[in-house]
């Protein structure tokens, strides 16, 4: 990746998130969605509508707003449970209750799996205790299935060649796992420098990771059970939190960031950034209703 990933950095809008997370590109509407977890807000950027940014209120600790197979109906992951959100009417419909065994936690990472199910993680809101877990839920589920526990800050969630890749940020480690009937089986650990936060994939299977607190993205080439860092890109924000590809050709890389915890945040901390790259991403998956 290195500095040759693409052109100049563009700042999207004037909004600055306390904790921006989970950017998702909606190809149906040509818009970008992301959340501010600590301000309980959904934000939506329309590049073809004069760069309009809309802001909708969300439930407490909403960590993700994801696509479904029904246009303009989104899947909301919050501390109060999983709900469906009609964007036009701004109406919520309860879908799944918050897991009973996740009391005292909040949601963090969330993504749609290749089979159309929702996977999401939980964590200690103070990021002190190893009480985080991974859960899976599908349209036919009665309750979310707990897949793995004992985590600090579970982040990143990608499916590559039959493996599930994720990170535990404060353990500075990526993991490769496989799904078994009773949950996730850990296959291998990969220690990294810094704090790995959210990630996206290129069409060539490269993982681009937001490095919290390091003002950069790190590119990893994943091949089978091997993971190797191949480059970095410096950013004008202190705490990049996640990234995703968007735009007509899925070659624009959108990056969320956060101001939370910074004693003296600079002007761009908390902004969403856009870089036009030489890479191409993978379309966002949709939850099957």
């Amino acid at each position: 990746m290195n500095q040759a990933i693409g052109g100049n950095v563009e700042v999207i809008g004037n909004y600055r998130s306390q904790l921006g997370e989970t950017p998702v590109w909606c190809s149906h509407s040509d818009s970008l969605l992301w959340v501010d977890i600590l301000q309980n807000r959904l934000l939506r950027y329309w590049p073809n509508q004069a760069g309009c940014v809309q802001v909708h209120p969300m439930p407490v600790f909403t960590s993700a707003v994801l696509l479904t197979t029904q246009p303009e109906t989104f899947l909301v992951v919050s501390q109060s449970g999983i709900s469906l959100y009609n964007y036009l009417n701004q109406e919520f419909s309860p879908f799944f209750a918050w897991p009973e065994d996740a009391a005292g936690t909040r949601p963090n990472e969330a993504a749609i799996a290749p089979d159309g199910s929702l996977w999401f993680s939980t964590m200690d809101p103070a990021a002190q205790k190893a009480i985080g877990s991974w859960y899976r839920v599908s349209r036919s589920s009665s309750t979310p299935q707990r897949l793995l526990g004992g985590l600090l800050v579970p982040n990143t969630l990608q499916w590559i060649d039959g493996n599930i890749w994720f990170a535990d940020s404060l353990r500075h480690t990526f993991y490769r796992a496989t799904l078994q009937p009773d949950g996730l089986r850990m296959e291998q650990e990969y220690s990294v420098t810094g704090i790995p936060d959210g990630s996206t994939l290129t069409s060539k299977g490269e993982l681009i990771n937001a490095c919290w607190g390091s003002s950069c993205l790190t590119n990893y080439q994943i091949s089978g059970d091997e993971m190797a860092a191949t480059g970095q890109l410096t950013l004008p924000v202190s705490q990049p939190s996640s990234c995703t590809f968007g735009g007509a050709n899925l070659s624009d890389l959108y990056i969320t960031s956060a101001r939370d915890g910074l004693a003296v945040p600079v002007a761009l901390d908390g902004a969403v950034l856009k870089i036009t790259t030489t890479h191409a991403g993978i379309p966002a998956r949709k939850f099957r209703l």
Side-chain angles (χ1 to χ4, degrees), residues 98-115:
W98 187 244
E100 292 183 0
D101 59 2
T105 67
R106 73 159 177 87
N108 195 44
E109 185 69 69
I112 306 301
D115 66 357

Side-chain angles (χ1 to χ4, degrees), residues 21-57:
E21 265 289 3
T22 324
V24 176
W25 180 259
C26 177
S27 296
H28 175 79
S29 61
D30 290 330
S31 65
L32 179 78
L33 299 100
W34 73 99
V35 297
D36 186 341
I37 296 178
L38 297 183
Q39 294 297 318
N40 312 317
R41 291 170 181 164
L42 164 65
L43 299 104
R44 193 173 190 181
Y45 167 62
W46 303 83
N48 298 327
Q49 297 183 21
C52 171
V53 176
Q54 297 174 331
V55 183
H56 286 195

Side-chain angles (χ1 to χ4, degrees), residues 125-281:
Q128 299 293 323
K129 302 175 184 177
I131 57 174
S133 299
W134 284 109
Y135 291 85
R136 176 187 181 275
V137 64
S138 69
R139 185 69 178 87
S140 60
S141 301
S142 56
T143 58
Q145 177 192 5
R146 187 168 180 265
L147 301 173
L148 183 70
L151 304 172
L152 277 168
V153 183
N155 261 311
T156 289
L157 186 59
Q158 299 292 342
W159 290 261
I160 306 174
D161 297 332
N163 291 302
I164 296 97
W165 291 77
F166 70 92
D168 196 335
S169 297
L170 296 186
R171 287 179 171 142
H172 315 285
T173 301
F174 279 96
Y175 301 88
R176 181 174 60 86
T178 54
L179 181 61
Q180 307 297 323
D182 59 347
L184 283 177
R185 181 174 70 194
M186 306 293 283
E187 304 289 353
Q188 197 165 348
E189 299 182 6
Y190 306 80
S191 296
V192 296
T193 302
I195 301 174
D197 207 320
S199 301
T200 193
L201 282 181
T202 72
S203 58
K204 296 182 179 179
E206 299 165 290
L207 187 143
I208 301 176
N209 176 249
C211 302
W212 179 271
S214 297
S215 300
C216 70
L217 302 176
T218 298
N219 192 63
Y220 296 94
Q221 182 64 55
I222 294 177
S223 179
D225 61 357
E226 297 182 357
M227 179 182 193
T230 58
Q232 284 190 335
L233 175 69
T234 301
L235 299 171
V237 293
S238 300
Q239 297 177 151
S241 55
S242 192
C243 52
T244 196
F245 284 99
N249 301 314
L250 293 181
S251 59
D252 295 331
L253 185 63
Y254 289 94
I255 304 150
T256 53
S257 67
R259 301 172 71 84
D260 184 52
L262 295 174
V264 185
V266 300
L268 293 185
D269 284 321
V272 170
L273 309 176
K274 185 184 87 168
I275 303 173
T276 300
T277 77
T278 56
H279 297 269

